Amino acid sequence: MQRNGLRGKTALVTGSTSGIGMGIAQALAAQGANILLNGLGDDIQIARLRQSIADENEVDVAYHPADMSKMRDIEDMIRYADSDLGSIDILVNNAGIQHVAPLTQFPVAQWDNIIAINLTACFHTTRLVLPSMLSRNWGRIVNISSVHGLVASPNKSAYIAAKHGLLGLSKAVALETATTGVTCNAICPGWVLTPLVQKQVDARAALEGLSDADMKQRMLIEKQPSGEFVTPEQLGGAVVFLCSDAAAQVRGVSLPIDGGCVAQ
Ligand code: NAD
C-alpha cells in the first residue's frame, strides 16, 4: 500500500491499549487512518498513547472504554463512533483474554468471560458496523484469532473454543459480504511477547523452576520453528495489507503468522 493509503478512513481496534492491538492501531495510523482506541488501562497512559499516535501520524485518535464483555457498552461505542468520528470503515476485533486450567477445573465464570470477550463481542461489533459499511460499499473486518483457532493445546479450552469460533464467524461474514466491497478475514498469530503471554511465561517459569529467558526459549522451541516471537509490528503490517486494494479478493481466509507453528 502507498503511504497514506488509508487517509480519511476510520478504524476501530478493540483491545488497543496494549500489545498486538496497539501495534495494529499504530500501523493503521501510519497509513493515515483515524483511530478509535478501546481497552482497559490507566487513564493517563491511555491519554499519552492517544496523543503520541495522533502527533506522529497527523490523524485523529479517540478512545472509548467499552467493556467488550458487555453488549450495551459495545453498542454505546459504535453509536459514539457514528456520531462523533464518522462511521467505522475498518474493524479489527482484537480484544482478548486467556485463562489456563484443565477443563474439569475450568472456572465457569472464566469460560463465560472468554467466550464473551474473544467471540461474542466480535459478533456484536460486526453486526453493528456492517450496515454502514455495506451502504458505502467499502469495509474491512479483520479478526485476530490465533494458531489456537486452527490447532489445540491442553488447558486452554475456552480460548481454543472461542478462537475456532472466530474463524467460523469470519468465514460466514466473508460469504455474506462476498459480492460487496466489504471483506472479512482472520489472522492467526503464534506467540507474541505481550502481557497476555508474559503471564503464561511467569506462571510456567515458577512451576518449572526456570529463568524468564529459559522459559521463553522453551515455549518457542515447543511451538514455533523459527525460534522467534512474532511482533505486533508484523501483525500491524498484515492488517494494513488486508485493508489494501490488493487484498480486495482476499475473503474468508485464516492467515497464520506464527513462525511456522501450524506447518508442523
Ligand atoms: P494483551 O493482554 O497485551 O492485550 C489485550 C487487550 O485487550 C488490552 O488492550 C486489554 O485492555 C483488552 N481487553 C481485555 N479485556 C477487555 C475487555 N473486557 N474490554 C475491553 N478490552 C479488553 O494481549 P495481546 O497478546 O495483545 O492479545 C491481543 C489479541 O491477540 C487477543 O485476542 C489474543 O487472544 C490474540 N493473540 C495473542 C497471541 C499472543 O501470543 N500474544 C497469540 C495469538 C492471538
Side-chain angles (χ1 to χ4, degrees), residues 14-21 38-41 66-69 94-97 117-118 144-147 159 163 188-197:
T14 69
S16 44
T17 52
S18 170
I20 294 171
N38 156 261
L40 314 175
D67 178 339
M68 299 304 289
S69 68
N94 167 79
I97 57 168
I117 295 167
N118 295 18
I144 306 303
S145 177
S146 166
V147 289
Y159 186 86
K163 295 298 188 182
C188 301
W191 288 126
V192 187
L193 192 55
T194 65
L196 182 144
V197 164

Side-chain angles (χ1 to χ4, degrees), residues 27-148:
L28 291 171
Q31 295 299 329
N34 297 320
I35 304 292
L36 176 53
L37 297 170
N38 156 261
L40 314 175
D42 174 71
D43 287 347
I44 294 171
Q45 280 178 5
I46 292 170
R48 278 203 200 111
L49 177 67
R50 274 180 75 172
Q51 198 63 49
S52 74
I53 297 178
D55 291 349
E56 278 164 29
N57 304 289
E58 295 177 14
V59 296
D60 295 334
V61 182
Y63 166 73
H64 194 285
D67 178 339
M68 299 304 289
S69 68
K70 298 196 167 74
M71 184 182 76
R72 296 281 171 240
D73 279 22
I74 298 171
E75 289 176 342
D76 191 55
M77 176 167 64
I78 304 301
R79 258 195 306 275
Y80 163 74
D82 284 339
S83 63
D84 285 48
L85 300 175
S87 300
I88 303 296
D89 301 293
I90 297 164
L91 167 65
V92 184
N93 283 312
N94 167 79
I97 57 168
Q98 173 65 286
H99 185 80
V100 181
L103 187 118
T104 53
Q105 291 153 36
F106 211 91
V108 172
Q110 286 286 7
W111 172 279
D112 288 344
N113 222 16
I114 289 175
I115 299 297
I117 295 167
N118 295 18
L119 179 58
T120 307
C122 309
F123 161 67
H124 290 309
T125 51
T126 302
R127 75 179 170 80
L128 292 166
V129 303
L130 199 47
S132 85
M133 286 182 177
L134 290 171
S135 74
R136 283 171 282 126
N137 200 34
W138 198 91
R140 293 289 188 267
I141 301 170
V142 183
N143 292 323
I144 306 303
S145 177
S146 166
V147 289
H148 283 127

Side-chain angles (χ1 to χ4, degrees), residues 147 150-151 188 190 223-226 255-264:
V147 289
L150 297 164
V151 295
C188 301
K223 297 279 183 198
Q224 227 145 273
S226 69
L255 175 65
I257 301 184
D258 65 351
C261 173
V262 297
Q264 296 172 102

